[in-house]
Amino acid sequence: MSKAPDLSAFTKEEIRQSLDPVRHPVKIAVCGSDNYFNVGAIIRSAHIFLVKEIILIDIPQFYERATMGTHKWENIRHVTTEEFLTENLPLVCFERRPDLDSQNLMGFSYPENAVLVFGNEKTGIPDQILAKAHSVVCIPQYGLQNDMNLANAMSIGIYDWTLKHYTKRV
């Protein structure tokens, strides 16, 4: 376990700005989660992977303690579904539904500057967002339960992206 540096001499904004040049060119979007603890866990995981931005769609708040303080250093944006739909972004939607023609995450190739989109555990990603998707992918599951915790799914997704794109930075 590494020892965190003493950042007390810097403002939150200075820390956030100093991280921007080393962030990965990928964004995370989370749709309509009503589990604010899970959203906090997602922010914490997104920080570990230094994503460019975290977009919270129709999520008014999150549990700050679940982020372990990392929300202070992240680029977090709150938007409505309607606002999100006006953006021209390459969306990779992580969704598992029998009526969708989704690709298996294993072997999937991400587009440049992708936005990885994750939905509410109960209702999934809204259909209007799925309609704009560049790709729909699913995480292989082998157990009897047919859904996965949202924070775990996001961690698997961003790990997969990082594994396929990571280049050592100097």
Side-chain angles (χ1 to χ4, degrees), residues 16-156:
R16 186 181 303 120
Q17 288 175 355
S18 72
L19 290 173
D20 283 345
V22 295
R23 290 185 186 280
H24 292 103
V26 63
K27 298 178 182 185
I28 298 297
V30 182
C31 304
S33 177
D34 51 8
N35 184 328
Y36 298 149
F37 186 88
N38 245 356
V39 177
I42 286 168
I43 292 168
R44 182 179 181 191
S45 291
H47 171 73
I48 290 168
F49 288 96
L50 283 178
V51 301
K52 186 175 196 141
E53 183 179 41
I54 302 160
I55 305 167
L56 302 180
I57 305 167
D58 296 325
I59 301 174
Q61 61 187 2
F62 56 86
Y63 187 50
E64 289 184 0
R65 290 186 71 185
T67 76
M68 298 300 289
T70 59
H71 67 282
K72 299 176 287 191
W73 309 313
E74 290 310 300
N75 300 314
I76 301 171
R77 185 164 50 107
H78 293 265
V79 299
T80 64
T81 297
E82 293 73 27
E83 291 167 333
F84 185 70
L85 289 170
T86 64
E87 301 179 21
N88 189 19
L89 305 167
L91 307 180
V92 176
C93 294
F94 283 71
E95 186 66 86
R96 183 181 174 90
R97 277 198 242 166
D99 63 323
L100 285 177
D101 183 24
S102 58
Q103 300 174 57
N104 189 313
L105 184 60
M106 294 180 186
F108 176 73
S109 294
Y110 294 88
E112 291 285 320
N113 299 310
V115 179
L116 310 186
V117 182
F118 300 87
N120 180 299
E121 290 171 323
K122 295 175 190 136
T123 59
I125 297 171
D127 288 336
Q128 62 266 42
I129 292 176
L130 284 171
K132 286 192 69 174
H134 175 278
S135 304
V136 178
V137 297
C138 67
I139 298 169
Q141 298 176 37
Y142 305 102
L144 298 176
Q145 186 69 357
N146 65 354
D147 65 350
M148 184 180 293
N149 173 278
L150 179 58
N152 292 344
M154 177 269 163
S155 293
I156 290 170

